[in-house]
């Protein structure tokens, strides 16, 4: 059955006290909105509609960066969650099957939970995701009678008896897509907030003799972000889960509480991650690779048997083949290192390709930027780059070639050649002694 995903992301998030719309604040390196989209994407939806409002253009850009097939509709005025869903109607014309409504500020709903809601649609026309709240606070309350969900009452509109209910509304709702659109069109705004509540569709469905039910999930999944403190709490919750999952999957974390993962980090079995390692977006670490302490990685791939760090920085486009060694204080950006390459110390490799088993000496720098353009450095296999070589790109070092320590290489080096590009050493006998004697004498004369 086809599935449509509707993600509500129009709110400003006033309590974030931010110029950035709330759904674009990040947890684990990804906007909150992207977390919701990723959970929904696991259902392989036919259509994904994001309802944007505040800073709609920024929200549109983030949506399309994640899924270029997603549709973005704009809710000009934020008149309530039912009104927000109604804005998706044109984008859902002709759609059939079920629709799931998610909130862009609720990042941790599991794909399995959404699948359970779809399954529960066999029993109910409208399925709501509920949870038992430790502190029900201002959540909407689920009013049930046996298995049947009768209605949802918002905190502002609830009686004292209703406020005593601890079964709360997560906000996630599933129903036939066309029924959902019919019901939201019928919602009014005669309530304490003067808003069009999506939650009213339950009572409307019941009034039509349709059944409604609740699927339960752990409260942790329904955690929403409204404040910076909650954003920090969401980050902590994400990291705690990601660390536990990594350990479960056979990854060694020497000090789990100091390692930070991104939403899309992939680490293979038997990889070893030392203390204080930070994964930005887009990192894959294959089985058996080792990342030593204090590394910062993003947009890179580390193959089996490679070792990285301590204190290394791998940036976007760093590709390390098997058994590559990258040591301390090395930065690599947009560079492919073939099998067995060694870059031990204090080096910058940017916009480069290094052939297999080449050794890069300490202090090597690819001078890849002329102030306007970036240029490529090509280093062949089995080459030896002497310590403190400046490779002024564009430049090519041949297979099996060598550069002398301290060279500034501005021209291509042929295969198997040695390039020396530095001053000849000059010896001046006795110079040092005479030089300092003169300076010391001058200082003594001044002191008198
Ligand atoms: C909503 C639910 C409440 C539930 C709670 C769970 C309603 C009426 N209430 O309340 O039952 O317990 O979520 O967190 O639905 N949004 C729009 N356009 C609007 C209004 C909201 O896109 O016009 C978006 C917001 O950006 C947000 C989401 O919808 O992502 C939820 O809106 P919010 O105002 O936070 O609803 P709550 O009052 O928290
Ligand atoms: Ca909310």
């Amino acid at each position: 059955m086809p599935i449509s995903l509707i993600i509500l992301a129009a709110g400003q998030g006033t309590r974030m006290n931010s110029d950035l719309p709330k759904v674009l604040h990040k947890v684990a390196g990804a906007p909150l909105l992207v977390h919701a989209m990723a959970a929904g994407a696991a259902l392989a939806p036919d259509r994904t509609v994001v309802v944007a409002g505040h800073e709609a253009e920024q929200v549109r850009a983030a949506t399309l960066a994640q899924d270029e097939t997603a549709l973005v509709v704009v809710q000009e005025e934020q008149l309530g969650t039912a009104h927000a869903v109604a804005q998706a109607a044109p984008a859902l014309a002709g759609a059939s099957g079920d629709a799931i409504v998610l909130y862009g500020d609720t990042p941790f709903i599991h794909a399995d939970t959404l699948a359970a809601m779809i399954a529960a649609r066999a029993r109910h026309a409208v399925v709501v995701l509920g949870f038992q709240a430790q502190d029900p606070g201002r959540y909407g309350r689920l009013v049930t009678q046996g298995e049947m969900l009768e209605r949802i009452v918002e905190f502002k509109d609830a009686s004292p008896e209703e406020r005593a209910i601890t079964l709360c509304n997560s906000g996630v709702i599933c129903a036939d897509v066309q029924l959902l659109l019919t019901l939201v069109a019928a919602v009014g705004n005669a309530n304490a907030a003067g808003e069009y509540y999506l939650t009213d569709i339950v009572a409307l469905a019941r009034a039509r003799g349709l059944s409604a039910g609740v699927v339960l999930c752990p409260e942790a999944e329904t955690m929403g972000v409204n404040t910076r403190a909650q954003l920090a709490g969401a980050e902590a919750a994400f990291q705690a889960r990601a660390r536990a999952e990594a350990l479960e999957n056979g990854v060694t974390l020497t000090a789990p509480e100091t390692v930070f993962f991104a939403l899309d980090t992939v680490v293979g079995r038997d990889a070893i991650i030392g203390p204080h390692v930070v994964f930005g977006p887009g990192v894959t670490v294959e089985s058996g690779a080792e990342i030593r302490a204090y590394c910062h990685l993003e947009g890179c791939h580390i193959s089996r048997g490679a070792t990285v760090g301590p204190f290394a920085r791998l940036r976007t486009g760093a590709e390390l083949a098997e058994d590559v060694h990258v040591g301390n204080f090395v930065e690599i950006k947009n560079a492919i290192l073939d099998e067995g390459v060694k870059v031990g110390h204090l080096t910058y490799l940017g916009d480069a390709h290094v052939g297999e088993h080449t050794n890069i000496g300490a202090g090597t720098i690819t001078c890849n930027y002329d102030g306007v353009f970036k240029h490529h450095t090509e280093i062949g296999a089995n080459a030896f780059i002497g310590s403190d070589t400046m490779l002024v790109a564009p430049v090519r070092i041949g297979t099996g070639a060598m550069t002398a320590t301290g060279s500034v290489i501005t021209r291509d080096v042929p295969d198997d050649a040695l390039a020396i590009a530095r001053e000849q050493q000059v010896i001046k006998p006795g110079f040092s002694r005479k030089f300092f004697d003169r300076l010391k004498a001058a200082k003594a004369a001044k002191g008198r």
Side-chain angles (χ1 to χ4, degrees):
M1 189 177 47
I3 298 205
S4 302
L5 199 64
I6 305 167
I7 303 180
L8 305 189
Q12 179 180 19
T14 316
R15 288 192 286 153
M16 294 297 283
N17 189 13
S18 174
D19 290 337
L20 195 66
K22 177 165 74 177
V23 296
L24 297 190
H25 283 269
K26 288 179 180 176
V27 163
L32 294 170
L33 173 63
V34 168
H35 286 256
M37 289 177 74
L43 300 173
D46 295 84
R47 300 189 203 200
T48 297
V49 184
V50 172
V51 182
H54 277 278
E55 302 294 340
E57 286 319 304
Q58 285 186 56
V59 172
R60 184 192 307 277
T63 300
L64 297 179
Q66 175 67 8
D67 175 3
E68 58 185 14
T69 70
L71 304 164
V72 179
V73 299
V74 178
Q75 183 192 25
E76 295 293 349
E77 267 187 297
Q78 282 69 60
L79 302 179
T81 45
H83 181 258
V85 172
Q87 307 312 302
L92 293 171
S96 62
D98 281 353
I100 288 199
V101 180
L102 294 176
Y103 290 170
D105 64 354
T106 308
F108 298 144
I109 307 280
H110 279 210
D112 294 351
T113 301
L114 300 179
M117 292 181 71
I118 305 250
R121 277 271 298 111
R123 305 189 296 277
H124 300 288
V126 175
V127 175
V128 169
L129 184 63
F131 63 102
Q132 283 294 348
Q134 285 287 333
D135 168 16
R138 302 184 66 82
Y139 284 115
R141 306 298 205 265
L142 301 185
V143 181
T144 52
Q145 205 148 72
E147 290 292 285
M148 194 68 77
L149 175 62
E150 294 298 341
R151 59 200 175 86
I152 306 177
V153 56
E154 287 304 296
F155 178 80
K156 278 186 185 172
D157 304 287
S159 65
E161 296 74 42
E162 289 166 336
R163 287 181 180 185
I165 297 172
T166 55
L167 180 61
C168 290
N169 175 28
S170 69
V172 184
I173 286 188
C174 179
D176 172 85
V177 57
Q178 297 306 330
L179 173 68
L180 175 72
L181 294 175
T182 306
L183 293 175
V184 294
V187 168
N189 67 347
N191 53 51
E195 282 183 19
Y196 296 87
Y197 292 157
L198 175 60
T199 45
D200 282 354
I201 70 165
V202 171
L204 289 171
R206 293 294 295 128
R208 293 169 181 227
L210 299 170
S211 88
V214 180
V215 164
L216 284 174
C217 74
E219 183 167 9
E221 282 188 45
T222 69
M223 175 187 267
V225 173
N226 300 300
T227 64
R228 303 267 184 174
Q230 287 171 343
L231 185 71
E235 182 74 46
F238 177 92
Q239 296 302 341
R241 202 180 63 225
R243 290 162 190 154
E245 277 175 15
L247 294 170
E248 189 86 359
N249 293 340
V251 176
T252 293
L253 302 178
T254 316
E257 66 287 355
T258 65
V259 175
F260 290 81
F261 293 97
L263 176 60
D264 61 356
T265 306
V266 179
V267 182
R269 191 161 164 266
D270 284 327
I272 299 173
I273 313 294
H276 299 282
V277 171
V278 176
F279 292 93
V283 179
T284 315
V285 179
E286 286 186 13
S287 295
E290 181 175 357
I291 315 295
R292 295 176 181 155
Y294 296 101
C295 288
H296 192 284
L297 317 176
E298 65 187 308
C300 61
H301 178 96
I302 298 157
S303 302
R304 193 177 282 271
T307 56
V308 177
F311 298 100
R313 179 168 183 214
L314 302 188
R315 294 168 55 200
T316 301
E319 290 268 348
L320 276 51
E322 290 188 15
D323 302 324
V324 163
H325 169 62
V326 168
N328 43 260
F329 307 109
V330 171
E331 174 180 342
I332 298 181
K333 184 218 78 173
N334 188 33
I336 298 171
L337 277 51
D338 289 348
E339 190 177 327
V341 165
K342 289 189 169 55
V343 195
H345 344 256
L346 298 160
T347 289
Y348 171 61
L349 296 179
D351 304 306
H353 171 227
V354 183
E356 58 186 29
H357 302 298
T358 281
N359 189 89
I360 308 284
T364 297
I365 290 179
T366 52
C367 309
N368 60 326
Y369 185 49
D370 58 18
V372 179
F373 296 105
K374 300 281 174 62
H375 300 283
H376 183 81
T377 298
E378 182 70 29
I379 303 175
N382 298 304
F384 185 92
I385 305 300
S387 293
D388 194 33
T389 297
M390 300 295 116
L391 298 161
V392 182
V395 72
R396 184 183 173 282
I397 310 297
T399 300
M402 215 175 164
T403 66
T405 293
S407 289
V408 178
I409 303 294
T410 53
R411 286 183 290 137
D412 289 356
V413 180
D415 291 357
D416 300 319
L418 164 67
I420 309 176
R422 64 182 190 219
E423 277 295 293
Q424 286 279 358
Q425 183 167 319
V426 174
I427 299 283
K428 297 187 176 182
F431 180 94
S432 170
R433 171 58 133 319
K434 279 182 254 169
F435 178 74
F436 284 112
D437 285 353
R438 204 169 64 231
L439 290 188
K440 283 173 191 159
K443 190 176 183 188
K446 241 178 151 184
R448 255 188 270 116

